[in-house]
Amino acid sequence: MLLTKKMKYDLPQLSMAGTKINLVEEIKLLGLIIDRRLTFKAHITAQCKKAADIYKQLARAAKVTWGLNGEIVRTIYIAVVEPIMTYAASVWSEAVELEMNKKQLFSLQRGFAQKICKAYRTVSLTSALALSGLLPLDLRIQEAANLYKSKKLLSTDYLPPGKELERKVGYLDLPHPSTLTSTNYEFFENTNPLHTGSQIFTDGSKIEGKVGAALSWWEDGKEKLSETFGLHPSCTVFQSELYALHRATRLVSSSTDNKVNILSDSRSSLDLLRNPKLSHPLARSIKENIARVVCEGREIKMFWLRAHIGTAGNERADELAKTAALQSTFHDYDKVPLSYVRKKIREESHHHKQLLKKQQHISCWIVEKKEKLD
């Protein structure tokens, strides 16, 4: 296959061991059909056919007044059809701007949208999309492409100025599988207080678009010290909870206490630490701090407690975290989560969707005026 932008060119004559090699118009590579003009029409046609076969089976069961529920059809569309259509979208997403490709995509999506909202076949695509709450398929493909580029750091359009994306721990940076350990935790009940070791309560908070974390160190029923930390507004509550645990374990690592109990009301954070595999950078730092303490012959235990049940240390940590979120001017942690990038990409898609609606309304208004004048 020959790829060129030249209008006039001579076809190359290729041969191998005396056998002529013929040029082809398209090739299939890892499930992606690449044509000579890079229109990707053949690929879109093949993917639409694959998804249409699913639609035909749905059409037998999902009728207007009976059959599959609309939400079930929506789940099938989002979980099956969209992944089929967005496969390798970062390669061919620009091709959806071609009208011939848009027609194929919209023809496929119209059938699914009608099944979701239980509409008749005469309903237009625009109305069916509005009733079903689906995003136009061309915008959904652009979303998948932009998300891939953001993950691979090929684009920073959706990141705050000067900030970096929070990335998973690379395979080369992971410890050897034989050294992987899980960090277990226990359930702490306020009716059975701990009698040995110091206690560190951690918490995170996001309030009024601001994020903060805090820890409170208690000994003999009294607060010994407390620390507050500010996080970038793009961070999540989950990140703030993990960062609080990270600072708590680092504090224990630099101390000389033989036994310290760390208590958190974030079960999701503790469940992440229980997983032997390390993927989150903060989780990796926490487990490294714990391993350092254990190697020194000291003990560090993790506990989960219910929030807002009157535990003094937990209420104090919660108050400090909210104060840190509202008053902190310095960001101790500013890695942007992938969820923030997804949110920005979706906001851009909805903005384009609203612009298309306005253009359609204007076009309809112009047509009506012309008909009246005629």
Side-chain angles (χ1 to χ4, degrees):
M1 186 173 65
L2 177 65
L3 300 176
T4 180
K5 292 183 178 180
K6 293 182 178 180
M7 300 297 293
K8 295 182 180 180
Y9 55 89
D10 296 327
L11 289 174
Q13 302 296 323
L14 304 177
S15 61
M16 181 178 292
T19 303
K20 183 180 178 181
I21 300 176
N22 296 321
L23 295 177
V24 296
E25 293 294 318
E26 59 187 43
I27 59 173
K28 189 172 184 179
L29 182 63
L30 297 176
L32 177 66
I33 302 175
I34 305 173
D35 59 277
R36 186 170 61 84
R37 298 185 181 276
L38 297 181
T39 61
F40 293 97
K41 181 181 178 181
H43 175 74
I44 294 174
T45 301
Q47 297 301 93
C48 286
K49 183 180 182 304
K50 186 186 295 186
D53 292 338
I54 300 173
Y55 168 76
K56 290 176 183 177
Q57 296 184 23
L58 277 177
R60 299 171 189 170
K63 302 298 181 181
V64 175
T65 57
W66 60 274
L68 291 178
N69 183 278
E71 289 302 316
I72 296 177
V73 180
R74 181 199 300 275
T75 301
I76 295 173
Y77 173 81
I78 294 174
V80 180
V81 177
E82 281 192 351
I84 291 174
M85 298 308 303
T86 57
Y87 176 74
S90 58
V91 178
W92 59 275
S93 60
E94 294 182 0
V96 299
E97 298 298 328
L98 300 174
E99 286 299 323
M100 60 179 179
N101 291 334
K102 277 188 178 182
K103 287 181 179 179
Q104 290 193 78
L105 296 174
F106 290 159
S107 176
L108 171 71
Q109 191 178 29
R110 182 168 175 263
F112 282 98
Q114 289 172 344
K115 294 300 178 187
I116 292 173
C117 63
K118 295 288 184 179
Y120 291 99
R121 287 185 292 178
T122 53
V123 173
S124 66
L125 172 65
T126 304
S127 301
L129 290 178
L131 293 172
S132 61
L134 295 180
L135 194 68
L137 196 51
D138 61 331
L139 295 182
R140 183 66 189 89
I141 291 169
Q142 292 285 0
E143 277 190 357
N146 292 332
L147 183 61
Y148 176 84
K149 292 175 183 177
S150 298
K151 284 183 179 179
K152 298 299 181 181
L153 304 183
L154 301 175
S155 173
T156 58
D157 296 339
Y158 304 98
L159 294 175
K163 302 303 177 184
E164 296 180 359
L165 184 69
E166 183 183 67
R167 305 188 69 187
K168 291 184 177 181
V169 179
Y171 291 107
L172 296 177
D173 297 325
L174 291 174
H176 192 272
S178 62
T179 63
L180 292 176
T181 58
S182 60
T183 303
N184 293 317
Y185 65 90
E186 300 177 16
F187 174 59
F188 172 78
E189 295 187 38
N190 199 30
T191 56
N192 297 319
L194 300 172
H195 296 289
T196 59
S198 304
Q199 301 177 15
I200 300 180
F201 295 88
T202 65
D203 206 352
S205 178
K206 185 166 188 176
I207 182 171
E208 297 181 7
K210 300 177 181 179
V211 189
L215 63 86
S216 178
W217 186 315
W218 287 61
E219 287 184 1
D220 300 325
K222 296 182 180 180
E223 187 180 50
K224 176 183 175 181
L225 63 89
S226 62
E227 293 184 4
T228 58
F229 320 101
L231 284 78
H232 192 267
S234 64
C235 293
T236 62
V237 177
F238 180 70
Q239 284 179 301
S240 67
E241 297 278 5
L242 273 178
Y243 187 75
L245 287 171
H246 160 65
R247 294 302 293 259
T249 53
R250 194 171 81 172
L251 185 62
V252 175
S253 177
S254 61
S255 70
T256 57
D257 290 50
N258 290 325
K259 182 176 181 180
V260 179
N261 305 298
I262 298 178
L263 301 96
S264 172
D265 59 9
S266 174
R267 194 164 190 172
S268 57
S269 301
L270 296 172
D271 283 337
L272 179 63
L273 297 177
R274 177 182 283 180
N275 190 341
K277 296 183 180 179
L278 295 172
S279 58
H280 200 286
L282 287 175
R284 179 191 176 189
S285 300
I286 294 170
K287 300 190 79 168
E288 286 178 348
N289 293 335
I290 294 174
R292 196 176 299 115
V293 172
V294 173
C295 287
E296 294 174 359
R298 297 185 290 146
E299 185 180 3
I300 182 170
K301 297 186 69 174
M302 312 293 288
F303 291 88
W304 172 70
L305 75 164
R306 300 186 188 277
H308 309 298
I309 60 172
T311 307
N314 180 250
E315 296 297 332
R316 172 63 174 162
D318 179 67
E319 178 187 353
L320 290 170
K322 290 178 179 178
T323 302
L326 294 173
Q327 298 182 0
S328 295
T329 56
F330 176 75
H331 299 148
D332 297 274
Y333 188 79
D334 59 359
K335 298 296 183 182
V336 181
L338 190 62
S339 59
Y340 176 86
V341 176
R342 285 198 183 97
K343 179 183 176 183
K344 290 298 179 181
I345 292 175
R346 180 51 58 92
E347 288 177 355
E348 183 183 63
S349 298
H350 281 298
H351 177 67
H352 286 316
K353 185 178 179 180
Q354 294 300 324
L355 288 178
L356 289 173
K357 284 184 178 180
K358 289 181 180 179
Q359 291 175 358
Q360 290 173 352
H361 288 317
I362 292 173
S363 300
C364 292
W365 181 80
I366 292 174
V367 170
E368 290 177 359
K369 288 294 182 181
K370 285 184 177 180
E371 289 178 350
K372 289 180 180 180
L373 291 173
D374 293 339

